Amino acid sequence: MKVAFSAPAVDLVPSLMWSLYVLVPLALLYAALVLFAQYGTRHAYLVDEKVLNIRLFPYEQIVPRAEILPDSFRRVDLETDEALGLSLRLNGTGLPNLKVGTYRLKDGKAAFVLVTDPAAAVFFELRDGKRYILSVESPREFAGALGLAS
């Protein structure tokens, strides 16, 4: 007497769905990392006759040059400055060599920060009270481009 048995049917949908649940997020994460590596670490300060445009993907700030208080512009060292050191990140990114976004400072006020080197940054304030701390290669040239005395 012969008895025949058949193998159970293979349902491919769960195994395909599992791979989609794993592979799609991994592919999106990889694409995000590639975009950040390509564009996320390149920042630029574009100065024209009327505005200072601060750009770092995905952040952009447009600062009217006429609103900058000339007396507030100065070089700062965020590692040693008692009042202007970074205290708390309110919005943005805080990586070891890149701090960008809105931070509360040690003096209790907030500032927009784009810092790649905390020992070499500039600080300035606008007439409406907004504050900025930016890393620049040459603070003297940056001040000259803004029409400010360094």
Side-chain angles (χ1 to χ4, degrees), residues 78-96:
L78 297 177
E79 295 173 340
T80 60
D81 196 306
E82 295 293 323
L84 295 179
L86 304 181
S87 174
L88 175 68
R89 183 178 67 226
L90 302 174
N91 172 18
T93 303
L95 298 173

mmCIF file of all heavy atoms in Angstrom, residues 78-96:
data_model
loop_
_atom_site.group_PDB
_atom_site.id
_atom_site.type_symbol
_atom_site.label_atom_id
_atom_site.label_comp_id
_atom_site.label_asym_id
_atom_site.label_seq_id
_atom_site.Cartn_x
_atom_site.Cartn_y
_atom_site.Cartn_z
ATOM 1 N N LEU A 78 33.532 79.501 22.627
ATOM 2 C CA LEU A 78 32.415 78.912 23.361
ATOM 3 C C LEU A 78 32.863 77.972 24.468
ATOM 4 O O LEU A 78 32.094 77.684 25.380
ATOM 5 C CB LEU A 78 31.489 78.171 22.394
ATOM 6 C CG LEU A 78 30.823 79.048 21.346
ATOM 7 C CD1 LEU A 78 29.984 78.204 20.402
ATOM 8 C CD2 LEU A 78 29.968 80.113 21.987
ATOM 9 N N GLU A 79 34.096 77.500 24.398
ATOM 10 C CA GLU A 79 34.587 76.599 25.431
ATOM 11 C C GLU A 79 34.954 77.333 26.712
ATOM 12 O O GLU A 79 34.920 76.766 27.790
ATOM 13 C CB GLU A 79 35.779 75.814 24.901
ATOM 14 C CG GLU A 79 35.403 74.896 23.758
ATOM 15 C CD GLU A 79 36.603 74.239 23.102
ATOM 16 O OE1 GLU A 79 37.733 74.752 23.260
ATOM 17 O OE2 GLU A 79 36.400 73.232 22.423
ATOM 18 N N THR A 80 35.317 78.606 26.599
ATOM 19 C CA THR A 80 35.748 79.349 27.785
ATOM 20 C C THR A 80 34.835 80.512 28.145
ATOM 21 O O THR A 80 34.927 81.024 29.255
ATOM 22 C CB THR A 80 37.172 79.901 27.577
ATOM 23 O OG1 THR A 80 37.176 80.771 26.448
ATOM 24 C CG2 THR A 80 38.157 78.766 27.349
ATOM 25 N N ASP A 81 33.976 80.954 27.255
ATOM 26 C CA ASP A 81 33.118 82.108 27.512
ATOM 27 C C ASP A 81 32.050 81.753 28.548
ATOM 28 O O ASP A 81 31.296 80.798 28.375
ATOM 29 C CB ASP A 81 32.455 82.583 26.214
ATOM 30 C CG ASP A 81 31.876 83.964 26.334
ATOM 31 O OD1 ASP A 81 31.068 84.197 27.260
ATOM 32 O OD2 ASP A 81 32.212 84.818 25.500
ATOM 33 N N GLU A 82 32.003 82.521 29.619
ATOM 34 C CA GLU A 82 31.065 82.251 30.706
ATOM 35 C C GLU A 82 29.610 82.526 30.321
ATOM 36 O O GLU A 82 28.710 81.832 30.766
ATOM 37 C CB GLU A 82 31.434 83.090 31.935
ATOM 38 C CG GLU A 82 32.761 82.732 32.540
ATOM 39 C CD GLU A 82 32.760 81.335 33.149
ATOM 40 O OE1 GLU A 82 31.743 80.926 33.720
ATOM 41 O OE2 GLU A 82 33.795 80.658 33.036
ATOM 42 N N ALA A 83 29.365 83.546 29.515
ATOM 43 C CA ALA A 83 27.990 83.926 29.193
ATOM 44 C C ALA A 83 27.481 83.283 27.911
ATOM 45 O O ALA A 83 26.305 82.953 27.800
ATOM 46 C CB ALA A 83 27.883 85.446 29.077
ATOM 47 N N LEU A 84 28.350 83.115 26.924
ATOM 48 C CA LEU A 84 27.895 82.666 25.614
ATOM 49 C C LEU A 84 28.143 81.187 25.333
ATOM 50 O O LEU A 84 27.960 80.738 24.207
ATOM 51 C CB LEU A 84 28.550 83.503 24.513
ATOM 52 C CG LEU A 84 28.159 84.974 24.507
ATOM 53 C CD1 LEU A 84 28.882 85.697 23.394
ATOM 54 C CD2 LEU A 84 26.665 85.142 24.377
ATOM 55 N N GLY A 85 28.521 80.411 26.321
ATOM 56 C CA GLY A 85 28.676 78.979 26.107
ATOM 57 C C GLY A 85 27.326 78.328 25.847
ATOM 58 O O GLY A 85 26.289 78.807 26.299
ATOM 59 N N LEU A 86 27.329 77.240 25.103
ATOM 60 C CA LEU A 86 26.088 76.540 24.789
ATOM 61 C C LEU A 86 25.629 75.755 26.007
ATOM 62 O O LEU A 86 26.394 75.024 26.620
ATOM 63 C CB LEU A 86 26.291 75.602 23.604
ATOM 64 C CG LEU A 86 26.816 76.240 22.323
ATOM 65 C CD1 LEU A 86 26.939 75.197 21.224
ATOM 66 C CD2 LEU A 86 25.945 77.385 21.879
ATOM 67 N N SER A 87 24.345 75.910 26.334
ATOM 68 C CA SER A 87 23.816 75.266 27.518
ATOM 69 C C SER A 87 22.844 74.141 27.171
ATOM 70 O O SER A 87 23.001 73.020 27.627
ATOM 71 C CB SER A 87 23.117 76.310 28.391
ATOM 72 O OG SER A 87 22.470 75.709 29.470
ATOM 73 N N LEU A 88 21.838 74.441 26.349
ATOM 74 C CA LEU A 88 20.781 73.469 26.060
ATOM 75 C C LEU A 88 20.348 73.598 24.610
ATOM 76 O O LEU A 88 20.078 74.714 24.140
ATOM 77 C CB LEU A 88 19.588 73.730 26.987
ATOM 78 C CG LEU A 88 18.337 72.895 26.781
ATOM 79 C CD1 LEU A 88 18.606 71.446 27.159
ATOM 80 C CD2 LEU A 88 17.201 73.447 27.610
ATOM 81 N N ARG A 89 20.259 72.480 23.897
ATOM 82 C CA ARG A 89 19.785 72.499 22.513
ATOM 83 C C ARG A 89 18.269 72.530 22.531
ATOM 84 O O ARG A 89 17.616 71.654 23.065
ATOM 85 C CB ARG A 89 20.299 71.268 21.767
ATOM 86 C CG ARG A 89 19.893 71.274 20.304
ATOM 87 C CD ARG A 89 20.441 70.094 19.536
ATOM 88 N NE ARG A 89 19.829 68.867 20.011
ATOM 89 C CZ ARG A 89 20.486 67.751 20.285
ATOM 90 N NH1 ARG A 89 21.776 67.692 20.137
ATOM 91 N NH2 ARG A 89 19.861 66.682 20.712
ATOM 92 N N LEU A 90 17.687 73.563 21.933
ATOM 93 C CA LEU A 90 16.238 73.688 21.841
ATOM 94 C C LEU A 90 15.707 73.069 20.556
ATOM 95 O O LEU A 90 14.603 72.536 20.522
ATOM 96 C CB LEU A 90 15.826 75.159 21.919
ATOM 97 C CG LEU A 90 16.276 75.900 23.181
ATOM 98 C CD1 LEU A 90 15.939 77.374 23.068
ATOM 99 C CD2 LEU A 90 15.637 75.288 24.403
ATOM 100 N N ASN A 91 16.481 73.192 19.477
ATOM 101 C CA ASN A 91 16.081 72.677 18.175
ATOM 102 C C ASN A 91 17.342 72.540 17.347
ATOM 103 O O ASN A 91 18.140 73.453 17.286
ATOM 104 C CB ASN A 91 15.103 73.651 17.505
ATOM 105 C CG ASN A 91 14.794 73.274 16.088
ATOM 106 O OD1 ASN A 91 15.010 72.152 15.653
ATOM 107 N ND2 ASN A 91 14.297 74.228 15.332
ATOM 108 N N GLY A 92 17.531 71.418 16.706
ATOM 109 C CA GLY A 92 18.676 71.293 15.822
ATOM 110 C C GLY A 92 19.480 70.041 16.068
ATOM 111 O O GLY A 92 18.973 69.041 16.575
ATOM 112 N N THR A 93 20.750 70.121 15.730
ATOM 113 C CA THR A 93 21.660 68.985 15.765
ATOM 114 C C THR A 93 22.826 69.300 16.681
ATOM 115 O O THR A 93 23.348 70.410 16.668
ATOM 116 C CB THR A 93 22.201 68.700 14.340
ATOM 117 O OG1 THR A 93 21.095 68.477 13.480
ATOM 118 C CG2 THR A 93 23.102 67.505 14.316
ATOM 119 N N GLY A 94 23.232 68.307 17.436
ATOM 120 C CA GLY A 94 24.375 68.473 18.314
ATOM 121 C C GLY A 94 25.355 67.333 18.150
ATOM 122 O O GLY A 94 25.349 66.409 18.946
ATOM 123 N N LEU A 95 26.149 67.374 17.104
ATOM 124 C CA LEU A 95 27.183 66.369 16.871
ATOM 125 C C LEU A 95 28.509 66.909 17.395
ATOM 126 O O LEU A 95 28.643 68.102 17.639
ATOM 127 C CB LEU A 95 27.264 66.065 15.371
ATOM 128 C CG LEU A 95 25.993 65.488 14.746
ATOM 129 C CD1 LEU A 95 26.135 65.394 13.237
ATOM 130 C CD2 LEU A 95 25.663 64.144 15.344
ATOM 131 N N PRO A 96 29.521 66.040 17.558
ATOM 132 C CA PRO A 96 30.782 66.527 18.127
ATOM 133 C C PRO A 96 31.406 67.715 17.390
ATOM 134 O O PRO A 96 31.884 68.638 18.012
ATOM 135 C CB PRO A 96 31.683 65.297 18.055
ATOM 136 C CG PRO A 96 30.747 64.148 18.107
ATOM 137 C CD PRO A 96 29.512 64.592 17.395
#
